[in-house]
Amino acid sequence: MIDKYEIVIGCEIHTQLLTKTKAFCACENRYGGMPNTRVCPVCLGLPGAMPRISKGYVELGSVAGLALNCNIAKFTKFDRKHYFYPDLAKGYQITQYDIPLCSDGYVDLPFIHYPKEEQPGGEKFRPVNFKGDNCVIDNKYRRVRIERIHLEEDVGKSLHLQGAHSYIDYNRSGTPLIEIVTKPDISSPEEAALFMQTIQEILRYVKVTAGNLEEGNMRCDANINLNVWEDGKLYHTPISEIKNLNSFKSIRDATSYEVQRQLKEFEEDRQEFNPGYKVTMGWDEAKGQTVVQRTKNSFVDYRFVVEPDIKPFSVSEELVERARGRVGELPEAKRTRFKKDYGLSDFDVETLTSTRELSLWFEAAADGAKDVKKVANWILAELLAVLNEKDITIDEVSITPKHITELANAISDKTITSAQGKTVFALMLENGKLPSVIIKEEGMESVTDSAAIEAIVDKVIADNPKAVSDFKGGKTNVVGWLMGQVMKASQGKANPKTATELVTKKLSEL
């Protein structure tokens, strides 16, 4: 009888880099297009073709490493990893083995607090007791250690048409990849999905990858096994490697299923961990289950050798410093600062930092604003709605941060009302003019002079004796109606607060 168990997951995330060319040749690096039109002797693996590595490839890998708190190697090299795959033209992959570009990093994930009834595995699930560097930080974050990030090339893509024919498209062959390998620090399917989501967010922030899971330029292999306590004795189940998971949902669902499969297998067959044995699994999303693809009798079955056509090389301090300069402030640090400096809610901060471009746009608008919350509200409620409707990014919108700053300040100063602000917003999107210009051209400036507003109030009260009589009879809602008449008479320019105070005062004096 199983007393309790804990889930142990390590991830290997493969991410294509946003370089202009492929890893070791001058072919264009982009997604899609007619098959086999962006290929050359190098990425086709033809005899005698010589690969060449670009500084941009190494620099982007270094940016990723620094963004994930890694050390960058001063000296590194490439290796050949031999295996057969239909879309691997050369019969080997150029990768890095024992001297990766990046090592010893970490990512801090927002801590997932599970109510007892929602714990993975129910009451038998036991969260891992982390020690040392692998720990819970301030009860807010869980640290996942990154063992290494290495450079390698992608393979081609197999196309299976209507089940009758298979083709290979080598356009993807040679695309520059990084592989991010974690320690087995992840303790639940939900945390595995959150880890990949966090990696995607960070690497998009630093413009290392497009991170589009549906296009396959980011995918994950999840290594999972269980620590099982039975009758006071600890057992370890064999490791399963679930390959090519390309959505957050598939990571969560595949690892959740595999936990239950391994538990059942342990109870039935008592299979235990063997350091030289691993099962490679696929995820059948339609059936909602993992399926065995192959077994490895030894983890060291790739016959690694040093890549003879690319010399080992040093990574200069200048390159590392350029990479460091490209990292900048990362999403979680920016969210913490926005909450502290601007007093914004968690929801507002999450949305405003969803992309680096939007966060910088907001900061530019907040600079010089009299009420930063108003700036945030106009961006969140109005501007993002326009972006969604037109399917454009913040960099493509027709206005600048200064437009929102001026608009929010005009409302704060009571130069215009919030209702008038919507009109100004629509006009500045249409013609690109600044709010100050639009307000002047449209004659929207609020009347703030108390004497002028009082004269309008006096006339409205004099012209509506029945309303006055109703007020004296106890119908206090008349105040709102008279206010409407004042705003109409002033063409919407009267300061609402001043006008309301004057209407109330005048009526009480009658």
Side-chain angles (χ1 to χ4, degrees):
M1 183 75 177
I2 293 177
D3 301 322
K4 58 190 175 184
Y5 67 90
E6 53 185 29
I7 302 168
V8 182
I9 301 174
C11 286
E12 300 170 9
I13 294 180
H14 297 80
T15 300
Q16 293 179 357
L17 302 183
L18 286 173
T19 54
K20 292 181 180 179
T21 63
K22 292 185 181 181
F24 304 112
C25 65
C27 292
E28 183 184 8
N29 174 29
R30 66 177 172 85
Y31 175 77
M34 185 178 294
N36 297 313
T37 55
R38 297 193 304 279
V39 294
C40 72
V42 173
C43 52
L44 286 175
L46 299 183
M50 294 293 289
R52 296 180 62 186
I53 184 171
S54 70
K55 287 183 180 179
Y57 179 22
V58 178
E59 186 169 327
L60 266 190
S62 300
V63 172
L66 292 168
L68 301 179
N69 303 293
C70 291
N71 299 320
I72 308 300
K74 296 184 183 299
F75 175 84
T76 187
K77 65 182 176 67
F78 282 96
D79 302 275
R80 287 187 180 183
K81 178 182 180 181
H82 293 83
Y83 62 97
F84 171 78
Y85 214 67
D87 46 22
L88 183 62
K90 297 190 291 285
Y92 63 86
Q93 179 188 36
I94 300 178
T95 183
Q96 293 187 301
Y97 178 46
D98 55 333
I99 310 179
L101 178 66
C102 316
S103 60
D104 298 324
Y106 63 87
V107 172
D108 290 334
L109 305 181
F111 191 71
I112 299 176
H113 296 271
Y114 291 106
K116 188 175 182 180
E117 65 276 8
E118 295 180 13
Q119 288 180 352
E123 293 187 6
K124 289 184 178 180
F125 173 77
R126 173 182 175 275
V128 178
N129 179 27
F130 289 103
K131 298 178 180 179
D133 292 334
N134 183 16
C135 61
V136 175
I137 301 171
D138 299 330
N139 206 34
K140 294 181 179 179
Y141 300 101
R142 273 279 311 280
R143 178 159 294 180
V144 176
R145 293 168 297 168
I146 293 173
E147 180 177 301
R148 57 187 282 140
I149 301 175
H150 59 261
L151 306 176
E152 61 186 22
E153 60 179 340
D154 211 341
V155 298
K157 184 176 182 180
S158 297
L159 307 173
H160 308 289
L161 305 181
Q162 299 177 347
H165 302 283
S166 293
Y167 302 88
I168 297 178
D169 177 10
Y170 285 111
N171 279 346
R172 194 175 71 177
S173 182
T175 295
L177 284 178
I178 53 173
E179 181 176 346
I180 303 165
V181 182
T182 77
K183 296 283 190 180
D185 291 347
I186 298 169
S187 63
S188 74
E190 291 77 13
E191 203 168 75
L194 178 60
F195 175 74
M196 188 172 183
Q197 189 174 3
T198 302
I199 292 293
Q200 181 198 55
E201 179 186 51
I202 292 172
L203 296 188
R204 279 179 167 175
Y205 241 69
V206 297
K207 298 186 184 301
V208 162
T209 182
N212 297 325
L213 305 180
E214 66 278 5
E215 294 179 2
N217 54 42
M218 178 178 278
R219 49 197 189 271
C220 178
D221 300 338
N223 291 275
I224 176 170
N225 75 326
L226 307 175
N227 294 330
V228 180
W229 282 264
E230 185 179 52
D231 299 328
K233 186 177 179 182
L234 174 61
Y235 300 89
H236 309 287
T237 63
I239 294 175
S240 295
E241 182 180 17
I242 312 172
K243 301 289 286 187
N244 293 324
L245 300 169
N246 62 355
S247 73
F248 306 133
K249 181 178 183 297
S250 67
I251 295 168
R252 185 186 68 242
D253 292 351
T255 51
S256 294
Y257 177 87
E258 185 62 16
V259 167
Q260 299 307 315
R261 190 199 68 77
Q262 288 192 20
L263 280 174
K264 183 179 180 182
E265 182 180 72
F266 177 80
E267 289 178 328
E268 293 176 351
D269 299 336
R270 286 296 187 276
Q271 291 198 30
E272 291 189 58
F273 173 76
N274 180 333
Y277 177 83
K278 182 161 70 170
V279 182
T280 299
M281 313 287 285
W283 172 241
D284 189 326
E285 193 152 10
K287 294 181 179 179
Q289 61 186 39
T290 55
V291 293
V292 176
Q293 292 180 331
R294 66 189 175 107
T295 60
K296 296 180 181 179
N297 291 321
S298 172
F299 291 168
V300 187
D301 60 354
Y302 294 119
R303 294 177 291 115
F304 282 101
V305 296
V306 175
E307 169 56 55
D309 293 333
I310 301 176
K311 291 181 179 180
F313 59 95
S314 298
V315 181
S316 69
E317 286 295 330
E318 291 78 12
L319 185 146
V320 174
E321 287 308 308
R322 280 201 310 273
R324 198 183 307 279
R326 294 174 64 170
V327 172
E329 187 177 37
L330 295 174
E332 187 60 27
K334 194 176 287 288
R335 283 191 281 268
T336 300
R337 182 169 62 82
F338 278 13
K339 282 188 279 190
K340 179 182 177 182
D341 292 355
Y342 300 129
L344 300 176
S345 69
D346 287 345
F347 175 80
D348 290 351
V349 165
E350 288 287 340
T351 307
L352 290 170
T353 59
S354 58
T355 68
R356 171 169 271 179
E357 291 76 15
L358 179 59
S359 68
L360 294 175
W361 207 96
F362 162 71
E363 284 194 89
D367 185 26
K370 297 181 179 180
D371 186 339
V372 174
K373 182 64 176 175
K374 272 191 172 64
V375 168
N377 286 342
W378 276 99
I379 292 174
L380 293 167
E382 304 295 336
L383 186 57
L384 291 187
V386 171
L387 300 187
N388 290 333
E389 180 184 345
K390 295 185 177 181
D391 193 24
I392 58 175
T393 66
I394 191 68
D395 291 333
E396 297 171 304
V397 75
S398 59
I399 60 174
T400 66
K402 186 177 179 182
H403 284 80
I404 296 296
T405 307
E406 280 198 8
L407 178 60
N409 284 348
I411 296 170
S412 294
D413 292 338
K414 297 182 171 35
T415 303
I416 58 173
T417 65
S418 294
Q420 288 175 314
K422 290 184 179 292
T423 302
V424 173
F425 181 78
L427 288 172
M428 70 188 195
L429 282 172
E430 180 182 320
N431 57 36
K433 294 180 180 179
L434 286 168
S436 55
V437 175
I438 293 172
I439 291 168
K440 186 174 182 179
E441 288 180 350
E442 300 294 324
M444 289 182 174
E445 295 95 340
S446 292
V447 177
T448 56
D449 179 53
S450 296
I453 296 174
E454 186 173 7
I456 296 172
V457 170
D458 288 340
K459 186 174 187 310
V460 166
I461 290 176
D463 290 346
N464 294 278
K466 185 176 183 308
V468 174
S469 176
D470 289 344
F471 178 80
K472 290 181 177 179
K475 295 184 178 180
T476 56
N477 61 334
V478 168
V479 175
W481 184 84
L482 287 171
M483 257 298 299
Q485 299 306 303
V486 171
M487 297 306 294
K488 183 177 179 181
S490 68
Q491 297 181 322
K493 296 180 182 179
N495 182 279
K497 183 180 178 182
T498 304
T500 301
E501 290 173 351
L502 286 169
V503 168
T504 303
K505 178 185 176 186
K506 295 284 184 180
L507 287 174
S508 62
E509 291 173 350
L510 293 176

mmCIF file with all atom_site columns, all heavy atoms in Angstrom, residues 213 218 335 342 421 434:
data_model
loop_
_atom_site.group_PDB
_atom_site.id
_atom_site.type_symbol
_atom_site.label_atom_id
_atom_site.label_alt_id
_atom_site.label_comp_id
_atom_site.label_asym_id
_atom_site.label_entity_id
_atom_site.label_seq_id
_atom_site.pdbx_PDB_ins_code
_atom_site.Cartn_x
_atom_site.Cartn_y
_atom_site.Cartn_z
_atom_site.occupancy
_atom_site.B_iso_or_equiv
_atom_site.pdbx_formal_charge
_atom_site.auth_seq_id
_atom_site.auth_comp_id
_atom_site.auth_asym_id
_atom_site.auth_atom_id
_atom_site.pdbx_PDB_model_num
ATOM 1  N N   . LEU A 1 213 ? 4.580   28.647 -29.701 1.00 0.00 ? 213 LEU A N   1
ATOM 2  C CA  . LEU A 1 213 ? 4.497   27.200 -29.499 1.00 0.00 ? 213 LEU A CA  1
ATOM 3  C C   . LEU A 1 213 ? 3.818   26.516 -30.677 1.00 0.00 ? 213 LEU A C   1
ATOM 4  O O   . LEU A 1 213 ? 4.199   25.406 -31.063 1.00 0.00 ? 213 LEU A O   1
ATOM 5  C CB  . LEU A 1 213 ? 3.734   26.897 -28.212 1.00 0.00 ? 213 LEU A CB  1
ATOM 6  C CG  . LEU A 1 213 ? 4.258   27.550 -26.922 1.00 0.00 ? 213 LEU A CG  1
ATOM 7  C CD1 . LEU A 1 213 ? 3.413   27.153 -25.735 1.00 0.00 ? 213 LEU A CD1 1
ATOM 8  C CD2 . LEU A 1 213 ? 5.708   27.170 -26.681 1.00 0.00 ? 213 LEU A CD2 1
ATOM 9  N N   . MET A 1 218 ? 9.305   26.765 -30.040 1.00 0.00 ? 218 MET A N   1
ATOM 10 C CA  . MET A 1 218 ? 9.602   26.475 -28.643 1.00 0.00 ? 218 MET A CA  1
ATOM 11 C C   . MET A 1 218 ? 8.850   25.199 -28.291 1.00 0.00 ? 218 MET A C   1
ATOM 12 O O   . MET A 1 218 ? 7.656   25.083 -28.540 1.00 0.00 ? 218 MET A O   1
ATOM 13 C CB  . MET A 1 218 ? 9.188   27.611 -27.710 1.00 0.00 ? 218 MET A CB  1
ATOM 14 C CG  . MET A 1 218 ? 9.458   27.302 -26.238 1.00 0.00 ? 218 MET A CG  1
ATOM 15 S SD  . MET A 1 218 ? 9.045   28.660 -25.104 1.00 0.00 ? 218 MET A SD  1
ATOM 16 C CE  . MET A 1 218 ? 10.508  29.671 -25.258 1.00 0.00 ? 218 MET A CE  1
ATOM 17 N N   . ARG A 1 335 ? 7.398   43.980 -12.693 1.00 0.00 ? 335 ARG A N   1
ATOM 18 C CA  . ARG A 1 335 ? 6.100   43.939 -12.013 1.00 0.00 ? 335 ARG A CA  1
ATOM 19 C C   . ARG A 1 335 ? 6.226   44.410 -10.567 1.00 0.00 ? 335 ARG A C   1
ATOM 20 O O   . ARG A 1 335 ? 5.394   45.188 -10.081 1.00 0.00 ? 335 ARG A O   1
ATOM 21 C CB  . ARG A 1 335 ? 5.543   42.511 -12.051 1.00 0.00 ? 335 ARG A CB  1
ATOM 22 C CG  . ARG A 1 335 ? 4.952   42.132 -13.397 1.00 0.00 ? 335 ARG A CG  1
ATOM 23 C CD  . ARG A 1 335 ? 4.192   40.826 -13.314 1.00 0.00 ? 335 ARG A CD  1
ATOM 24 N NE  . ARG A 1 335 ? 5.071   39.675 -13.328 1.00 0.00 ? 335 ARG A NE  1
ATOM 25 C CZ  . ARG A 1 335 ? 5.438   39.025 -14.440 1.00 0.00 ? 335 ARG A CZ  1
ATOM 26 N NH1 . ARG A 1 335 ? 4.999   39.437 -15.609 1.00 0.00 ? 335 ARG A NH1 1
ATOM 27 N NH2 . ARG A 1 335 ? 6.231   37.976 -14.367 1.00 0.00 ? 335 ARG A NH2 1
ATOM 28 N N   . TYR A 1 342 ? 4.214   52.768 -8.602  1.00 0.00 ? 342 TYR A N   1
ATOM 29 C CA  . TYR A 1 342 ? 2.997   53.359 -9.150  1.00 0.00 ? 342 TYR A CA  1
ATOM 30 C C   . TYR A 1 342 ? 1.737   52.986 -8.370  1.00 0.00 ? 342 TYR A C   1
ATOM 31 O O   . TYR A 1 342 ? 0.658   53.518 -8.646  1.00 0.00 ? 342 TYR A O   1
ATOM 32 C CB  . TYR A 1 342 ? 2.815   52.941 -10.612 1.00 0.00 ? 342 TYR A CB  1
ATOM 33 C CG  . TYR A 1 342 ? 3.952   53.365 -11.513 1.00 0.00 ? 342 TYR A CG  1
ATOM 34 C CD1 . TYR A 1 342 ? 4.579   52.438 -12.345 1.00 0.00 ? 342 TYR A CD1 1
ATOM 35 C CD2 . TYR A 1 342 ? 4.416   54.678 -11.535 1.00 0.00 ? 342 TYR A CD2 1
ATOM 36 C CE1 . TYR A 1 342 ? 5.632   52.814 -13.185 1.00 0.00 ? 342 TYR A CE1 1
ATOM 37 C CE2 . TYR A 1 342 ? 5.462   55.057 -12.358 1.00 0.00 ? 342 TYR A CE2 1
ATOM 38 C CZ  . TYR A 1 342 ? 6.067   54.122 -13.177 1.00 0.00 ? 342 TYR A CZ  1
ATOM 39 O OH  . TYR A 1 342 ? 7.097   54.504 -14.007 1.00 0.00 ? 342 TYR A OH  1
ATOM 40 N N   . GLY A 1 421 ? -13.223 63.221 -22.591 1.00 0.00 ? 421 GLY A N   1
ATOM 41 C CA  . GLY A 1 421 ? -11.966 62.513 -22.829 1.00 0.00 ? 421 GLY A CA  1
ATOM 42 C C   . GLY A 1 421 ? -12.127 61.419 -23.869 1.00 0.00 ? 421 GLY A C   1
ATOM 43 O O   . GLY A 1 421 ? -11.227 61.193 -24.692 1.00 0.00 ? 421 GLY A O   1
ATOM 44 N N   . LEU A 1 434 ? -2.334  66.081 -30.819 1.00 0.00 ? 434 LEU A N   1
ATOM 45 C CA  . LEU A 1 434 ? -2.233  65.980 -29.363 1.00 0.00 ? 434 LEU A CA  1
ATOM 46 C C   . LEU A 1 434 ? -3.527  66.463 -28.715 1.00 0.00 ? 434 LEU A C   1
ATOM 47 O O   . LEU A 1 434 ? -4.225  67.329 -29.269 1.00 0.00 ? 434 LEU A O   1
ATOM 48 C CB  . LEU A 1 434 ? -1.058  66.794 -28.857 1.00 0.00 ? 434 LEU A CB  1
ATOM 49 C CG  . LEU A 1 434 ? 0.334   66.198 -29.128 1.00 0.00 ? 434 LEU A CG  1
ATOM 50 C CD1 . LEU A 1 434 ? 1.417   67.222 -28.849 1.00 0.00 ? 434 LEU A CD1 1
ATOM 51 C CD2 . LEU A 1 434 ? 0.565   64.935 -28.294 1.00 0.00 ? 434 LEU A CD2 1
#
